[in-house]
Amino acid sequence: MSPRFLIFAIACCILLVSCGKGPGKKDPMSETAVVALSGDADNLNPVVSNSTTASEIWANIYPTMFDVSFDLREGKLKFNPGLVQSWSFENQGRDVVLILRKGVRWEDGMPVTTEDVKFSYELYGDTEVASPRRNYVESMIFTNNKFDVDKSIKIIDDTTMVFHFAKTYPLQLFHLNLPPVPKHVFRNADRRTLRTNPANDRPIGAGPFKLEQWVRQQQVVLSRNSKSVLPSPAKLERTVFRVITEPTTRLTELKKGTVDLMQPIYPDDVEDLQTNNPDIKLVTLPPRAYDYIGWMNIDTEEYHRSNKRIIRPHPLFGDRRVRQALTYAIDRRAILREKLKAYGELAVTDFSPIFRWAINKGLVPYPYDPEKARQLLRSAGWTDSDGDGILDKAGRNFEFTLYYNVSNKRREYVATVVQENLKHVGIRVNVQAVENTVLFQNIDEKRYDAFIGGFSVGLAIDPSDRWGDVSSSFNTVGFQNTRVGELLKLGLHARDERDAGPFWMEIQSIIHQEQPCTFLYWIKDIVGVNRRLKNTNINTLGVTDDMHEWYIGDPRAAMSP
Amino acid sequence: MSAVPLLFGLLTFTFFIIHLTPGDPVLLYISGDIDPQYAANLRATLGLNDPLPIQYVKWLKSMLVGDMGVSFSMHDEVVNILARTIPNTLILTTSALIVNFAIGIALGMAAALRRGKTTDYIMNVVALFIYSMPEFWLGLMLILGVSLHLDWLPASGMHSPLALYLPPFEYFLDLLEHMILPVFVLGVASAAATGRYMRGSLLEVLGQDYIRTARAKGLSETIVIGKHAMRNALIPIITLFGLSLPFLLGGAVIVETVFSWPGMGKLTIDAIFARDYPVIIACTLVSGVMVIIGNLLADILYAIVDPRIRYV
């Protein structure tokens, strides 16, 4: 076989496959949107699914209790009728009466009733199922530490039911918004193995789309559910979610026009896209995720040795003045400029800027001020007594290791800047990249003195896990403050969300003062959308929140199949 | 039969290594929307709270009855995952292996038979050039050049989004179209190395006395090369082929990642990072079996190619 023959053979192959595309027929892609995913859905059953990717998909298959929107001007969730036609609060707000819409049917023709909703909440609350959304039932009625579904939920008839709560709090409606699954499908399912129940792979829903095909690790195809009344059948014939793991390949597909929507676009790619791809629209999402540097507030050695009983200040970071000094010493604005450009904002506390009504606007971000940092460190007793350029106190040098997850280029940059910045104030930082799973486990178990972490916040304010109990895995730095504990209770028990505002603001004030972490920046995710895809209304609830309203606007821009 | 204890040892070793590696599989999913107690509940449901020896005994019992367990990250039976992934990998790797050896042997022969001539030099330079290119880079360059700028071929995946509606032949053509770039990267890059082996091996054989004798007998060059030289020259290539067989099911991590090809290589790597113990062990089992089969096949091929080799 000569090289010429080889080239000829490859050319023939390309020609052969090109012949497969014939003009003439109606292009099926003119009714189809393609969304690129970085990974596959883990599960299409909302009770056990725990990936964001999966929720973008199943939210369009299963019925939603309420049609929820997030009002960015007010910074609040708005609840409109969905499967729940109307609702009222009784018994001083502890009971919520829900009236379900009549005539809603699952794809298989069975009616959606209050039995389905009650059964679904039973699944969500069962510890054997291990649902990631179990906390939604935590304020309902418990008997012997077990979620008591019969005391929590009373069925009046097929469309009327009452939810009983142990207390009133602002998130009651939010916690009633878990999608129901059909009882007749899962009634006999083994709870412990619900994750792998075959019915999860062929969901029976009542939403605007239905599952047409799921080729694991490749794609999920949803097609229009023409019988849906929640809220209506999708305008698109179908949406294909394609798994494309490599970011460069994903971006290439978007540029090529073979993908209509992808998230995230990296800030470094924005300029190129804006210059060379006018057919791609870039949408910036409101910030719901932030990066921070965790300074361990408590002495972890003592904490673990005493089996989490003895809590003493950390020898390096236990002093508030030291933590403030560290924030002053780090040039957070420089990091923001370099890595996020216009797609981020300086973080003051962990309260997302989207909750406008609850944000304490009086708090000013700590400026980059190495001199102020040195003063604070001096007042905390850290001086360079031996003249080696490193601060010391009682014979101990101010030196620690800063951990971050490997392959996260943004955090790698942060680690380098922190190392350099803190060197100028006399602190030696060793930087160590570790694998994701290792980092998460060590943060969860409070094994690190300092680390770069990230957090994405929910759609309603609930800082209790973050700043409440020291042992909570979300309280990654072991922060504790009596006043914050009181304020959390007050805020979470307020009858109306607005009433909790002053409590949240005071918590922010304390957090800002205490600096349990150095909050770095809020990240505004960027979504790339092909302009042929119309009415996307991408918002803070997710890119596919209004997917049933999407349509293909310009047929001339339709892609090749 | 001696392979059975070998496999058992390999799997036991993998079981303990992966369980002793730091990192908790359930913590990957913790975020602001997730119940903080979720990890504890899930750990109990998945049996991860048991002491390691108990977990080992349970795992051993399951393996003996052919139950490979359930994937933590994909929420599916491992057997189903393998059943889906192995064919995808075989399509890619078998094609790549055919391209690799077909092109490699042809180029090696051409270079050896034109030793010292311009063709030989050009082939050497081109082979080294291709061989030196990292697969990751070559894959991305092809995607940018052939797919994005020339728009000749798709950039990723095994099929077009709506391939499920295509008739069988067009479905096959669609697959073929998606295979060209990944098979090229995998096959042609390796062919460069195979070609170098083949060239060296054939040159060595061509210098042997029996080749001179064959030519002196007046045999045609086709018979001398095809019948006498090639059979001997192929022996090192068979060793290479045997060593390549585990790759058939082991997959090709980099190429699968760049081209979003849902194969075994990517499955293994994703499972390792997710600490998906059942999947990791299953992938190790598949690779282990392939190494054993590969060696067995190579031994059989030696006997076919070289009549002097006999197994008793």
Side-chain angles (χ1 to χ4, degrees):
Chain A
M1 190 162 36
S2 72
R4 260 176 297 177
F5 177 75
L6 255 176
I7 294 166
F8 176 73
I10 293 169
C12 282
C13 271
I14 296 175
L15 197 66
L16 183 69
V17 292
S18 306
C19 289
K21 304 167 187 172
K25 279 186 273 182
K26 189 190 172 191
D27 187 349
M29 295 305 286
S30 62
E31 290 278 340
T32 304
V34 181
V35 178
L37 302 176
S38 57
D40 198 9
D42 58 341
N43 204 314
L44 292 184
N45 182 341
V47 178
V48 283
S49 147
N50 55 6
S51 75
T52 315
T53 302
S55 64
E56 301 269 10
I57 299 170
W58 56 248
N60 284 285
I61 299 175
Y62 282 96
T64 46
M65 297 289 278
F66 299 96
D67 178 13
V68 180
S69 59
F70 193 87
D71 187 331
L72 275 175
R73 276 173 305 182
E74 284 195 50
K76 283 180 70 174
L77 284 167
K78 299 274 177 186
F79 293 87
N80 300 306
L83 174 62
V84 177
Q85 193 175 44
S86 63
W87 61 94
S88 58
F89 289 88
E90 291 180 2
N91 189 18
Q92 291 157 340
R94 282 199 195 174
D95 297 345
V96 186
V97 181
L98 303 182
I99 313 285
L100 303 193
R101 191 172 160 164
K102 281 184 187 147
V104 180
R105 291 186 176 273
W106 298 105
E107 272 168 55
D108 58 6
M110 297 288 279
V112 180
T113 68
T114 46
E115 285 288 348
D116 293 308
V117 177
K118 182 179 176 182
F119 172 75
S120 304
Y121 268 82
E122 189 183 338
L123 292 181
Y124 284 113
D126 189 336
T127 44
E128 288 215 322
V129 170
S131 170
R133 292 166 196 85
R134 188 174 176 275
N135 52 333
Y136 281 54
V137 305
E138 264 173 3
S139 297
M140 294 181 193
I141 312 296
F142 277 64
T143 307
N144 298 328
N145 288 329
K146 208 175 162 200
F147 172 53
D148 193 329
V149 70
D150 290 323
K151 284 189 183 164
S152 297
I153 304 170
K154 289 257 167 27
I155 290 180
I156 311 295
D157 58 38
D158 274 359
T159 53
T160 311
M161 62 196 310
V162 184
F163 277 78
H164 300 291
F165 288 86
K167 59 178 184 185
T168 56
Y169 62 107
L171 302 180
Q172 276 166 297
L173 282 187
F174 184 69
H175 286 166
L176 292 179
N177 198 35
L178 288 173
V181 294
K183 182 177 178 179
H184 62 279
V185 173
F186 292 102
R187 183 193 290 127
N188 299 320
D190 175 28
R191 302 285 169 93
R192 283 184 78 85
T193 57
L194 190 66
R195 258 180 185 73
T196 51
N197 192 305
N200 299 340
D201 292 357
R202 34 175 202 280
I204 305 278
F209 284 90
K210 59 184 178 183
L211 180 73
E212 183 152 337
Q213 187 201 41
W214 183 11
V215 187
R216 294 256 194 168
Q217 308 302 317
Q218 292 187 56
Q219 64 178 24
V220 180
V221 182
L222 300 188
S223 63
R224 179 191 296 143
N225 178 7
S226 51
K227 293 177 196 159
S228 173
V229 291
L230 288 175
S232 61
K235 287 183 179 161
L236 278 175
E237 185 67 38
R238 61 184 79 76
T239 302
V240 180
F241 293 86
R242 286 188 64 198
V243 180
I244 307 170
T245 39
E246 222 296 303
T248 314
T249 313
R250 215 160 49 230
L251 187 65
T252 306
E253 297 274 25
L254 180 73
K255 287 177 175 177
K256 227 168 113 70
T258 38
V259 154
D260 292 308
L261 189 147
M262 78 165 266
Q263 179 196 20
I265 301 279
Y266 295 119
D268 287 345
D269 294 321
V270 167
E271 197 183 331
D272 172 46
L273 280 170
Q274 285 174 334
T275 313
N276 300 317
N277 298 85
D279 52 335
I280 295 169
K281 180 175 70 175
L282 298 177
V283 182
T284 309
L285 289 175
R288 280 182 56 197
Y290 64 91
D291 278 353
Y292 67 97
I293 306 173
W295 314 115
M296 187 50 71
N297 289 212
I298 57 171
D299 186 336
T300 47
E301 278 183 31
E302 194 65 44
Y303 179 70
H304 290 299
R305 203 168 29 227
S306 66
N307 200 19
K308 303 182 181 178
R309 280 197 300 272
I310 299 176
I311 293 176
R312 289 195 184 130
H314 189 276
L316 295 179
F317 310 117
D319 188 324
R320 178 177 70 187
R321 288 167 296 181
V322 171
R323 298 193 298 267
Q324 287 174 340
L326 291 165
T327 305
Y328 275 120
I330 296 167
D331 192 353
R332 296 179 298 154
R333 280 192 195 281
I335 297 170
L336 188 64
R337 268 197 310 274
E338 179 62 28
K339 297 315 283 184
L340 289 171
K341 301 179 171 74
Y343 301 97
E345 59 184 87
L346 216 54
V348 182
T349 68
D350 63 325
F351 280 69
S352 166
I354 63 169
F355 303 116
R356 284 169 183 257
W357 58 276
I359 291 297
N360 188 337
K361 295 185 181 70
L363 302 177
V364 181
Y366 283 56
Y368 173 53
D369 188 346
E371 193 43 50
K372 176 88 177 161
R374 284 188 202 98
Q375 276 173 25
L376 283 164
L377 287 165
R378 214 175 298 128
S379 67
W382 290 94
T383 52
D384 184 10
S385 63
D386 52 7
D388 65 349
I390 307 294
L391 299 178
D392 54 83
K393 183 177 164 184
R396 177 176 181 157
N397 272 350
F398 205 137
E399 179 177 358
F400 63 90
T401 303
L402 179 67
Y403 295 88
Y404 68 96
N405 48 335
V406 73
S407 81
N408 187 322
K409 294 288 169 203
R410 192 178 59 231
R411 291 186 191 162
E412 184 180 272
Y413 180 78
V414 171
T416 316
V417 171
V418 170
Q419 188 179 39
E420 186 61 25
N421 283 169
L422 294 189
K423 195 171 128 188
H424 290 305
V425 293
I427 296 173
R428 183 181 285 150
V429 182
N430 305 304
V431 167
Q432 174 82 53
V434 287
E435 201 202 320
N436 273 340
T437 38
V438 179
L439 183 91
F440 295 157
Q441 185 176 20
N442 284 314
I443 290 177
D444 184 61
E445 293 175 1
K446 299 187 174 58
R447 301 271 172 202
Y448 287 148
D449 292 331
F451 58 89
I452 305 172
F455 209 79
S456 64
V457 297
L459 286 163
I461 299 177
D462 182 359
S464 55
D465 294 319
R466 194 86 174 91
W467 307 123
D469 188 5
V470 171
S471 64
S472 162
S473 56
F474 285 3
N475 189 350
T476 51
V477 292
F479 175 75
Q480 54 172 2
N481 183 292
T482 320
R483 179 62 186 154
V484 168
E486 289 165 8
L487 291 165
L488 284 171
K489 279 186 193 144
L490 290 168
L492 293 172
H493 286 77
R495 175 67 192 87
D496 185 77
E497 203 173 28
R498 288 273 181 193
D499 298 341
F503 308 126
W504 300 149
M505 288 186 203
E506 193 180 337
I507 288 183
Q508 289 165 66
S509 193
I510 297 170
I511 296 290
H512 186 63
Q513 186 70 12
E514 289 289 331
Q515 287 292 296
C517 321
T518 292
F519 299 99
L520 292 166
Y521 41 73
W522 286 97
I523 302 157
K524 296 176 185 173
D525 265 348
I526 312 164
V527 185
V529 187
N530 192 307
R531 289 186 194 275
R532 77 180 198 122
L533 193 62
K534 306 288 182 189
N535 217 16
T536 46
N537 185 26
I538 290 164
N539 60 65
T540 193
L541 297 179
V543 289
T544 61
D545 180 50
D546 266 347
M547 202 167 86
H548 62 283
E549 295 288 349
W550 295 3
Y551 67 92
I552 305 294
D554 180 9
R556 284 170 305 168
M559 298 176 291
S560 55
Chain B
M1 283 308 287
S2 60
V4 175
L6 182 72
L7 273 179
F8 173 73
L10 173 73
L11 294 183
T12 301
F13 183 70
T14 312
F15 177 90
F16 282 104
I17 284 283
I18 195 67
H19 278 79
L20 293 173
T21 311
D24 185 342
V26 297
L27 290 179
L28 280 176
Y29 311 106
I30 297 298
S31 73
D33 287 329
I34 304 279
D35 181 0
Q37 278 304 308
Y38 164 66
N41 293 340
L42 185 59
R43 222 176 273 124
T45 300
L46 295 175
L48 292 168
N49 283 340
D50 293 333
L52 197 53
I54 305 279
Q55 286 189 48
Y56 176 69
V57 172
K58 282 185 178 171
W59 168 78
L60 206 59
K61 272 188 192 164
S62 312
M63 286 300 276
L64 288 174
V65 293
D67 177 8
M68 290 189 176
V70 172
S71 160
F72 300 164
S73 58
M74 286 179 266
H75 298 191
D76 198 6
E77 299 274 346
V78 174
V79 173
N80 297 342
I81 295 169
L82 290 184
R84 275 195 310 266
T85 316
I86 286 177
N88 299 343
T89 286
L90 277 177
I91 291 170
L92 178 69
T93 51
T94 311
S95 313
L97 213 60
I98 292 169
V99 168
N100 168 6
F101 282 94
I103 296 181
I105 290 172
L107 289 182
M109 276 176 68
L113 297 175
R114 290 172 180 75
R115 185 187 185 185
K117 292 181 183 166
T118 319
T119 322
D120 185 23
Y121 287 125
I122 291 173
M123 282 182 184
N124 277 340
V125 171
V126 172
L128 276 173
F129 180 70
I130 293 177
Y131 191 60
S132 314
M133 273 192 274
E135 281 181 353
F136 188 77
W137 184 83
L138 179 61
L140 285 180
M141 287 305 109
L142 285 173
I143 287 175
L144 291 178
V146 180
S147 180
L148 179 62
H149 293 298
L150 297 173
D151 198 17
W152 285 359
L153 291 168
S156 68
M158 278 183 75
H159 290 287
S160 304
L162 298 184
L164 74 154
Y165 302 108
L166 294 173
F169 182 65
E170 283 187 37
Y171 185 83
F172 169 72
L173 287 182
D174 183 67
L175 172 67
L176 204 63
E177 189 178 37
H178 284 78
M179 276 171 63
I180 292 175
L181 288 184
V183 166
F184 181 86
V185 174
L186 270 182
V188 172
S190 315
T194 309
R196 296 285 298 162
Y197 275 106
M198 187 65 209
R199 179 183 177 275
S201 173
L202 190 57
L203 282 177
E204 195 184 323
V205 171
L206 286 175
Q208 300 284 323
D209 288 346
Y210 66 88
I211 296 293
R212 199 177 309 124
T213 310
R215 281 182 175 142
K217 273 161 59 181
L219 294 178
S220 71
E221 197 60 15
T222 317
I223 292 178
V224 171
I225 302 295
K227 196 173 171 187
H228 296 276
M230 273 305 282
R231 284 187 76 157
N232 284 310
L234 278 176
I235 289 175
I237 301 299
I238 288 169
T239 311
L240 203 63
F241 179 72
L243 291 173
S244 306
L245 283 181
F247 153 81
L248 278 179
L249 285 187
V253 179
I254 293 170
V255 170
E256 285 173 9
T257 306
V258 171
F259 291 99
S260 291
W261 194 277
M264 288 292 288
K266 200 169 166 317
L267 177 74
T268 313
I269 287 295
D270 288 348
I272 291 172
F273 285 128
R275 297 290 187 275
D276 196 339
Y277 306 140
V279 176
I280 297 169
I281 291 172
C283 292
T284 313
L285 174 69
V286 170
S287 295
V289 169
M290 280 310 288
V291 170
I292 291 163
I293 294 177
N295 280 309
L296 186 70
L297 266 178
D299 286 347
I300 294 168
L301 283 174
Y302 285 144
I304 293 171
V305 175
D306 187 347
R308 290 169 304 177
I309 298 172
R310 287 284 173 273
Y311 298 105
V312 252

